[in-house]
């Protein structure tokens, strides 16, 4: 199939199928790569996400200000390094996470990755759509279910349309909304500091709750570790691995860490972490809604894009568009049935079972593909050693959370990397990549 620049909806004359200029199942060619600024804007727009503040709100009252900064720094560093590694692989291969999984898990094994990543992102899409409906109803004191449902449907249509137009649509939404959101966030930060007498007053606030350091770091890592696993969906447009690493650092180390910090400050000064609710408390309902819609619109468009490319891989189709639409409809139905009321349990599930998948992909790339994927190479149907590595690493991450030892996402990632490298060296017939030559 041709990979030349063709508009959405243009059929390939050789196959009759729609050509998608976002290349959901093929490597992004060099002529379609984007500038560093463009990739950084998209990733920063992805992570400047107000619900992340709720994680910070749980941390703020549990630590002194100095220890709070240490928790956020350590958690953000772990998250940033992991996502940067995933982003680097995405830029080098030009492939989405789910298509990269074909070379790691096999063409049939990759369907597990598509179902896992695409399915969980549909659920997250529903969580965000439901949150918009509930917060809008709270702003206007609506009690009618119909009013909340109408808001959910309308906002879902906007998000779906943005993702339908792909990378370009997400870039422009992020470019316009992210600066406005950051201006509002820093303005609320200034008001928060006024409430407590500046930075010195903030530092004097004594903890009122308790939380183990490891649990706190896990909370920071868990905010975006699942979405970060799909960073290659966007970094594959970067012109080099170095640009991808820096773009991931800006988005996941700086952007996500900032949102956790702002949520912690909001909880310490106003009693709520989400700055949308702070603006509501200050009587600035209009600006609160601007922050709410602008922020969640761009972030959920990225989510719709993620399950769109996962669907394209799952069904071996060259276009993400029908899967963006179908997933958005399903996510909206979930929102209308109240999926957002189970947010905490859902985040724990994501943070446990998705990071090991990224660890397997990273480890396999280091062992076999760092010299490049040979042209014309066809992966086998199943790579049992990689599937076993994922299963064991996921079990270790889950056990870590159950017994309260260590940081589950970190244990899942590290154990997956080690296991896939070790198994790949001892299982016959697995060292077939360019790196093994």
């Amino acid at each position: 199939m041709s990979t030349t620049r063709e508009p959405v909806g243009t059929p390939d004359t050789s196959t009759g199928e729609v050509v998608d200029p976002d290349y959901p199942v093929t490597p992004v060619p060099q002529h379609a790569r984007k500038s560093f600024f463009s990739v950084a804007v998209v990733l920063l727009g992805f992570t400047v996400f107000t619900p992340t503040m709720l994680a910070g709100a749980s941390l703020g009252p549990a630590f002194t200000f100095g220890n709070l900064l240490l928790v956020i720094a350590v958690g953000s560093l772990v998250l940033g390094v992991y996502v940067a590694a995933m982003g680097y692989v995405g830029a080098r291969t030009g492939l989405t996470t789910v298509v990269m999984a074909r070379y790691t898990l096999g063409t049939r094994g990759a369907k597990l990755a598509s179902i896992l990543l695409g399915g969980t992102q549909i659920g997250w899409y529903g969580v965000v759509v439901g949150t918009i409906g509930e917060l809008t109803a709270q702003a206007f004191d609506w009690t009618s279910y119909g009013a909340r449902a109408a808001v959910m449907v309308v906002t879902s249509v906007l998000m779906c349309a943005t993702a339908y137009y792909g990378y370009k649509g997400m870039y422009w939404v992020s470019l316009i909304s992210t600066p406005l959101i950051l201006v509002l966030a820093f303005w609320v930060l200034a008001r928060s500091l006024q409430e407590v007498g500046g930075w010195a007053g903030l530092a004097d606030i004594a903890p009122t709750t308790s939380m183990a350091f490891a649990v706190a770091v896990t909370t920071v890592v868990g905010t975006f570790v699942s979405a970060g696993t799909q960073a290659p969906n966007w970094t594959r447009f970067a012109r080099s691995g170095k640009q991808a690493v820096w773009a991931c650092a800006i988005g996941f180390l700086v952007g996500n860490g900032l949102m956790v910090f702002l949520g912690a400050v909001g909880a310490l000064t106003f009693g709520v972490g989400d700055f949308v609710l702070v603006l509501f408390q200050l009587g600035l309902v209009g600006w609160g809604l601007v922050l709410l819609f602008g922020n969640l619109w761009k972030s959920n468009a990225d989510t719709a894009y993620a399950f769109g490319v996962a669907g394209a891989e799952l069904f071996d189709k060259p276009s993400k568009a029908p899967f963006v639409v179908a997933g958005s409809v399903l996510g909206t139905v979930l929102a209308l049935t109240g999926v957002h009321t189970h947010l905490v349990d859902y985040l724990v599930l994501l943070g446990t079972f998705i990071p090991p998948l990224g660890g397997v992909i990273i480890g396999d790339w280091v062992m076999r593909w760092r010299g490049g994927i040979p042209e014309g190479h066809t992966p086998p149907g199943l790579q049992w050693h990689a599937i076993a590595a994922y299963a064991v690493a996921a079990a270790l991450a889950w056990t870590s959370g159950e017994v309260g030892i260590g940081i589950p996402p970190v244990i899942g990632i590290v154990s997956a990397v080690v296991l896939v490298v070790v198994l790949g060296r001892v299982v016959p017939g697995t060292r077939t990549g360019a790196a093994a030559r």
Side-chain angles (χ1 to χ4, degrees), residues 142-160:
W142 291 339
T143 57
S144 166
Y145 172 78
R148 297 197 303 275
V151 171
M152 294 179 195
V153 171
V154 171
T155 55
S156 179
V157 169
L158 291 174
M159 295 166 181
C160 176

Side-chain angles (χ1 to χ4, degrees), residues 220-244:
V220 176
V221 175
T223 54
F224 253 88
V225 71
S226 300
T229 302
Q230 301 186 75
N233 293 353
W234 300 278
T235 62
R236 65 199 176 98
F237 287 95
R239 292 171 180 163
S240 69
K242 182 178 179 180
Q243 287 188 356

Side-chain angles (χ1 to χ4, degrees), residues 66-94:
N67 287 337
L68 173 66
L69 295 179
L70 179 61
V71 165
I72 295 174
V74 172
S76 298
L77 181 62
V78 171
L79 178 64
V81 169
Y82 166 66
V83 176
M86 288 295 298
Y88 180 85
V89 176
R92 288 291 303 275
T93 62

Side-chain angles (χ1 to χ4, degrees), residues 149-239:
V151 171
M152 294 179 195
V153 171
V154 171
T155 55
S156 179
V157 169
L158 291 174
M159 295 166 181
C160 176
T162 302
Y164 185 89
Y165 283 100
Y167 183 98
K168 186 175 182 180
M170 292 181 294
Y171 168 74
W172 282 108
V173 171
S174 296
L175 186 65
I176 294 170
S177 64
T178 302
L180 176 59
I181 290 165
L182 289 175
V183 168
L184 283 172
F186 279 107
W187 181 83
V188 177
L189 174 63
R191 286 294 304 266
S192 299
L193 292 174
Q194 289 179 9
E195 291 289 317
V196 294
W199 294 105
L202 190 64
D204 288 337
I205 297 177
T208 57
T209 62
S210 62
M211 181 182 294
F213 183 84
V215 173
V217 172
T218 301
T219 302
V220 176
V221 175
T223 54
F224 253 88
V225 71
S226 300
T229 302
Q230 301 186 75
N233 293 353
W234 300 278
T235 62
R236 65 199 176 98
F237 287 95
R239 292 171 180 163

Side-chain angles (χ1 to χ4, degrees), residues 348-349 351-353 356 391-404 408-409 411-412:
V348 171
L349 179 70
T352 300
F353 292 103
V392 173
L396 290 174
W398 179 81
T399 302
S400 169
E402 289 296 302
V403 300
I411 288 175

